[in-house]
Each structure stands twice: as structure tokens, then as C-alpha cells.
Amino acid sequence: MVSTQSTGTSVLRFQEFVSFLCVVTTVYRKGLVMSQKNTKKNSGEGNLTPYQGKKRCFGEYECPTCGRGWMSGNSWANSGQECSNCEIMVYPHSQKPLERVDDDENKSDLNKEHPQHLCEKCCKLGWSCREYRRRW
């Protein structure tokens, strides 16, 4: 049987590990993030993403280096996600508010693991961005 103290310690250690990965990743790729070509980022508007709200939204991403595209229900204003192939930060080219859906085909699977080490918002927070609105 696992005591609650050891479980709490495990969660804390995992969060520290995620934070450590984020710091190492940022230091390792220092020049790559700044050299990424993103029209919103380089336009001088000060906004890195189309959406500027405070809530989580749905984002569409495309890596400018390898062309890999993905969609995420864990997209945030002015936060990117790292391309798992190229290991560079990619900002969404399209974002829209999350909508409640009734059909199972379009529902997000909240049981699916969120790769926190690839998420800029998680790295900044030090814990899963999915918990952000629940904590505040």
C-alpha cells in the first residue's frame, strides 16, 4: 500500500522533472526558437498566436522545418508546442475557442497523456496546463 505522503512526493518529483526537462530543452535550443519563421511572431504585433484570450483553445500547428502538422486542444495565447520531429518551438497558425460537443467522434480524450515537455505553457507553469483554469 502506498501512503499519501509518498504519492505526493512522486507527483512533486514528476513536476520537478518536467520543469527540469523544459529548462534543459530551452537552453539546448536557445537559438532555434528565435530563428523560427512565423508570420505573427515577426510581424511586430507582439502577438505570437492568433488567439489572445485567457482560456485554453483548439490550435492547428505546422512545423516550418519538416512540414509536420498537428492539432491540439491544449493551445494557449502566445504559447507554442515543440515539434516532436525537429525539436523546435512551433506557434499555431490557427486557433479557435473550445466548443462543447455531444458526439463522441469530435470529443477530446482527456485520458490521453498530454506531453508536458513539448508544451511551452506547461514548461512556464511547471505543471500541466490542463490544470491551469482549475487551480485559479
Side-chain angles (χ1 to χ4, degrees), residues 40-91:
K40 284 282 184 188
K41 185 174 183 178
N42 295 328
S43 67
E45 295 175 21
N47 299 333
L48 300 176
T49 60
Y51 174 74
Q52 291 300 304
K54 294 185 184 254
K55 295 182 178 180
R56 191 167 57 104
C57 65
F58 180 82
E60 295 182 30
Y61 300 78
E62 185 175 342
C63 178
T65 305
C66 70
R68 178 180 173 267
W70 69 94
M71 294 179 266
S72 174
N74 295 304
S75 187
W76 296 84
N78 300 320
S79 291
Q81 294 182 3
E82 188 177 297
C83 175
S84 60
N85 292 344
C86 301
E87 300 181 339
I88 65 166
M89 192 60 63
V90 178
Y91 292 90

Side-chain angles (χ1 to χ4, degrees), residues 16-28:
E16 289 172 354
F17 177 71
V18 169
S19 294
F20 172 76
L21 279 179
C22 293
V23 170
V24 169
T25 301
T26 303
V27 170
Y28 180 73

